[in-house]
Amino acid sequence: MSNGKRLILVLGDQLSRDVSSLRDARKTSDVILMGELADEATYVRHHKKKIAFVFSAMRHFAEDLRKDGHAVDYQRFDDGDAVASFTDLVARAVKEHGAQRIVVTEPGERRLRRIFANWEAKGSVPVELRNDDRFFCSLDEFNAWAEGRKTLRMEHFYREMRKKTSVLMDGAAPAGGNWNYDKENRKPAKDDMDFPEPPQFAPDEITRDVLTLVGARFADHFGDLDPFWFAVTREDALLALDHFIAHALPRFGNYQDAMLRDEKFLYHSALSPYLNAGLLNPREICARAEQAYEEGAAPINAVEGFIRQILGWREYVRGVYWRGDDDYATQNFFGADRKLPAFYWTGDTDMACVAAAVAQTKQDAYAHHIQRLMVTGNFALIAGIDPYTVHEWYLEVYADAYEWVEAPNVIGMSQYADGGALGSKPYAASGAYINRMSDYCKGCAYRVSKKTEEDACPFNALYWDFLIRNRKKLGRNPRLARVYQNWERMDADKKRAYRARARGLLATLDRGERI
Ligand code: FAD
Ligand code: DLZ
Ligand code: SF4
C-alpha cells in the first residue's frame, strides 16, 4: 500500500462506513472526495425526491465523516466552481490535494465503470478499484454458480445462498421445513385492515437547503418534492427498519402481492432507497427479520418471503446485471417499438390501476413490487412499448433505482426483453389478475368483466393480442402451453373481436391519445 496521500472517492450510493473504499481510510493523510454532480443528476432526469434524497444523504454522510476527524472534500451542486462529472471532480481534486493514488469502490453501473476505466490511462496516478462487498454474494461467486448452467433461475440461486449463509436454516434444512412459502403469500388485502405506514422524518436544516436547491434547479424534472419524508441518515434509516420489523413484517407474507387504491405501502418495508444508497446493510436487515422469526414475533411465511427478496432476488439480479454485456439495457426480444404513453408521466388515463400507480410514483418516488410488475410493467409489455424507454422511465422515477438493480428487473423480469434469461415466462396478465389482487377495478371507468366492448378493461384484449402477436417467440414455452390451448378453444368471432379491440387500443396509443 502506498504511504502517499490518497483520494478516496465515495459515490452517492456508497454511504456506508464499511464500504470497501473507506475501510482503511487514514484520518491523517487521506482525503475523502464526494460531489453533487450535474451529470449524475441528469443522465436520466431523476425524480425530484430522488435527487433530494441522494444529495441530502450525501451531505449528512460527509458531515458525519468530518465530525469523525476525516478530511472531506465535498462539492455542492451550487458551488460557484462546481464541475459536472466524476472525471473532472477527481482530476481537480488530485491536483488540489497532490494525491498519489485514487481509491474507489466499484460503481453500480456499467456507464460509470467505462468512465472510471479511463482514468488511469489519462491521468498520472494509479486507480485502485475495490470490490463492493456490501452484498452476500460476490460477483465471482455468482459467476461460479452461473457457469455452465443453461438457464439461470432465482430459486436455485436462492437455495444455494440460504445454505451458504445459514440464514433461516435449521442445520442443513430450511427453517420451518420449506424453502419457499410463496403459495401462502398471495392473499388480497381489505381496506379496513390496519396498515402501518412507514415512518416519516421531518426535514432538518441540511435537507431543507437541499429541497430549496432541488426545487430551483430541477423544477422541470418529474415528481413532487413535498412532502419530503425520507430518512437521510443511517440513524433514521435504522428507525425505519425497527418500525418495519415490529409493525409490518408479521403480515408482509400474506399480503405481499396485494394492491389497494388508498394504501401505498400495505405491509411493504419501503427500505429499498436506504438499502441501495448504503444507509442500511442487507445482512443487518435479514438478521433482524430472522431474529423476529426466532422470537416468535413474525411467522415463517412472512420472514422467508421477505428474506427471499433480499438474499434471493436482490443478489440474483445484481449477478445477472454484471454477467450481461454492455448493452444489457438495449435488449429487445419482441422488437417492441411503441412510444411510452404520456400517461406514464401525467397519470391521465381512465385505467384506475395505472392512474393510481403513476400518482403514487409521482408523489413518493415509490410503488411496491406488484404495482411495478403487474400494472405499469405489465401494461408496457402487452402494449408493445419499446423496452429501453420503459427502462429509462423506471430508472428516473423511483428513489431506489440504480441500474444494477433496476435494469434486470425491467428489461429481464418485467419486459422479458432478454428472451427469458432471467425469468421462465413473461409477466403478462389480463385484468382478472389485477382485479383478484386489488380494489382498483371497483372504481374504474372500464369494466374488468368485459372483454372486447368499448368499455372493456384494456388489459383483457391487449393480453391476448400480446400472446398471439408473439406466438412465434413464445408458442413453445411449456409454461404457456395451457394459455395457448385456451386461445385455440375460443370461437373465431371472439378471437377476431379481441384482436380488433386490441388494434383499436394500440391505434389510440399511437395517435398519442389517452385510454
Ligand atoms: P419490500 O417489498 O419491502 O421488499 C424488501 C426488499 O427486498 C426491498 O427493499 C428490496 O431491497 C428487495 N427486493 C424486493 N424485490 C426485489 C427485486 N425484484 N429485485 C431486487 N431487490 C428486491 N428494486 C430496486 O431496489 N430498485 C429498482 O430500481 C427496482 N426496479 C424495479 C422495476 C420493476 C419493473 C420491478 C418489477 C421491480 C423493481 N424493483 C426494484 C424491485 C422491487 O419492486 C423493489 O425493490 C421494491 O418494490 C422496493 O420496495 P420495498 O422496499 O417496500 O420492498
Ligand atoms: C443517482 C445519483 C444522483 C442523482 N446524484 C449523484 C451525485 O450527485 N453524486 C454521486 O456521487 N452519485 C449520484 N447518484 C448516484 C450515481 O448516479 C450512480 O447511480 C451510482 O453511484 C452508481 O453506483
Ligand atoms: Fe385496471 Fe382494467 Fe381493473 Fe380498470 S378494470 S383498474 S384498467 S385492471
Side-chain angles (χ1 to χ4, degrees):
M1 191 208 299
S2 149
N3 287 325
K5 187 174 256 187
R6 299 180 311 176
L7 198 61
I8 303 176
L9 175 65
V10 174
L11 311 186
D13 60 346
Q14 298 180 345
L15 309 180
S16 321
R17 293 301 284 266
D18 63 349
V19 72
S20 56
S21 59
L22 286 176
R23 206 159 286 150
D24 56 350
R26 298 169 303 204
K27 292 178 187 169
T28 44
S29 57
D30 294 336
V31 174
I32 298 169
L33 176 65
M34 298 175 69
E36 297 166 11
L37 298 163
D39 283 6
E40 294 312 303
T42 59
Y43 74 93
V44 292
R45 292 156 55 83
H46 298 288
H47 193 298
K48 292 190 201 80
K49 254 195 182 100
K50 177 180 184 183
I51 299 177
F53 166 67
V54 173
F55 284 9
S56 179
M58 284 174 68
R59 289 188 188 189
H60 282 91
F61 188 72
E63 186 80 0
D64 249 27
L65 290 167
R66 275 199 194 107
K67 276 193 193 139
D68 213 27
H70 289 281
V72 183
D73 178 348
Y74 189 96
Q75 168 179 288
R76 292 163 72 123
F77 192 83
D78 50 358
D79 282 348
D81 58 350
V83 293
S85 69
F86 280 120
T87 302
D88 290 345
L89 185 77
V90 166
R92 184 176 68 187
V94 165
K95 229 196 242 163
E96 218 167 278
H97 303 291
Q100 286 157 28
R101 191 178 188 79
I102 299 164
V103 177
V104 59
T105 294
E106 60 193 1
E109 292 182 356
R110 291 177 169 281
R111 174 185 66 89
L112 289 177
R113 281 266 178 108
R114 284 194 295 274
I115 294 174
F116 289 14
N118 271 329
W119 288 349
E120 196 157 306
K122 274 197 185 159
S124 48
V125 299
V127 179
E128 188 183 327
L129 196 65
R130 297 187 178 173
N131 290 339
D132 190 345
D133 53 16
R134 296 173 298 168
F135 292 87
F136 286 98
C137 182
S138 73
L139 296 177
D140 285 346
E141 284 169 321
F142 186 85
N143 287 332
W145 171 79
E147 210 46 55
R149 285 173 192 263
K150 262 203 208 128
T151 50
L152 303 184
R153 291 293 171 253
M154 198 293 289
E155 189 63 31
H156 303 152
F157 168 77
Y158 167 59
R159 290 181 192 187
E160 287 301 310
M161 291 300 291
R162 291 271 296 278
K163 288 182 215 157
K164 185 195 125 186
T165 58
S166 299
V167 169
L168 220 52
M169 294 295 289
D170 227 343
N178 293 319
W179 290 106
N180 181 319
Y181 293 82
D182 232 10
K183 283 204 191 79
E184 293 172 37
N185 292 356
R186 292 180 188 143
K187 293 190 176 60
K190 297 215 170 60
D191 50 14
D192 60 356
M193 291 163 57
D194 230 9
F195 295 101
E197 291 257 311
Q200 313 230 329
F201 300 91
D204 64 3
E205 204 181 321
I206 294 179
T207 301
R208 286 199 297 273
D209 277 353
V210 167
L211 293 175
T212 307
L213 169 81
V214 173
R217 303 292 288 269
F218 300 96
D220 56 346
H221 283 216
F222 173 74
D224 301 345
L225 197 48
D226 298 313
F228 186 89
W229 52 270
F230 291 161
V232 288
T233 61
R234 175 162 165 76
E235 289 67 37
D236 283 350
L238 281 169
L239 292 178
L241 172 60
D242 289 346
H243 185 274
F244 168 72
I245 298 286
H247 302 294
L249 176 65
R251 299 176 101 173
F252 175 88
N254 288 354
Y255 304 104
Q256 201 177 331
D257 288 0
M259 297 178 277
L260 287 178
R261 201 192 59 191
D262 295 328
E263 294 297 335
K264 290 185 271 194
F265 303 99
L266 295 106
Y267 300 105
H268 291 277
S269 68
L271 292 175
S272 51
Y274 312 145
L275 180 55
N276 294 349
L279 301 182
L280 296 176
N281 182 291
R283 288 188 184 85
E284 71 191 337
I285 299 184
C286 290
R288 290 290 307 277
E290 189 172 12
Q291 188 190 353
Y293 168 64
E294 281 162 3
E295 289 169 355
I300 186 68
N301 70 312
V303 172
E304 187 283 316
F306 181 70
I307 285 180
R308 175 157 22 96
Q309 308 311 314
I310 295 178
L311 179 63
W313 278 111
R314 187 169 182 269
E315 301 280 327
Y316 175 72
V317 298
R318 176 174 181 255
V320 168
Y321 174 73
W322 286 111
R323 228 180 127 67
D325 42 33
D326 256 12
D327 45 12
Y328 185 87
T330 59
Q331 297 175 92
N332 191 350
F333 180 65
F334 297 120
D337 60 1
R338 190 156 278 112
K339 268 175 63 182
L340 189 75
F343 54 71
Y344 274 76
W345 302 108
T346 60
D348 182 17
T349 166
D350 283 335
M351 293 182 286
C353 53
V354 176
V358 173
Q360 87 174 62
T361 299
K362 181 170 169 289
Q363 275 164 18
D364 288 322
Y366 177 86
H368 63 73
H369 187 68
I370 294 300
Q371 292 175 303
R372 296 187 206 197
L373 187 63
M374 300 311 292
V375 177
T376 43
N378 180 20
F379 186 85
L381 173 71
I382 61 181
I385 310 298
D386 174 353
Y388 192 80
T389 65
V390 180
H391 148 71
E392 285 189 315
W393 183 79
Y394 277 96
L395 193 54
E396 286 181 29
V397 304
Y398 291 114
D400 58 18
Y402 301 89
E403 200 179 89
W404 67 266
V405 55
E406 172 275 334
N409 270 298
V410 174
I411 294 293
M413 187 189 303
S414 156
Q415 301 303 296
Y416 205 77
D418 62 355
L422 184 139
S424 55
K425 77 176 176 79
Y427 281 97
S430 68
Y433 173 87
I434 295 173
N435 189 36
R436 190 162 63 248
M437 296 313 300
S438 80
D439 65 353
Y440 293 137
C441 302
K442 282 191 289 194
C444 185
Y446 292 109
R447 300 272 71 87
V448 72
S449 56
K450 292 193 178 175
K451 310 293 182 202
T452 56
E453 300 85 334
E454 268 300 289
D455 60 346
C457 167
F459 283 83
N460 291 339
L462 289 175
Y463 167 71
W464 282 118
D465 196 62
F466 162 77
L467 289 170
I468 300 314
R469 268 192 334 258
N470 294 299
R471 193 167 189 167
K472 273 203 184 115
K473 295 196 164 145
L474 295 173
R476 272 196 289 239
N477 185 322
R479 296 198 61 198
L480 294 174
R482 270 241 306 274
V483 179
Y484 280 111
Q485 279 161 16
N486 288 343
W487 174 258
E488 287 315 324
R489 277 200 285 269
M490 233 181 256
D491 72 52
D493 283 348
K494 195 163 174 195
K495 283 182 184 169
R496 266 195 297 276
Y498 266 128
R499 302 294 309 266
R501 164 75 173 150
R503 267 197 308 279
L505 288 163
L506 295 176
T508 308
L509 290 181
D510 289 340
R511 289 193 301 273
E513 292 168 12
R514 73 198 292 283
I515 60 173

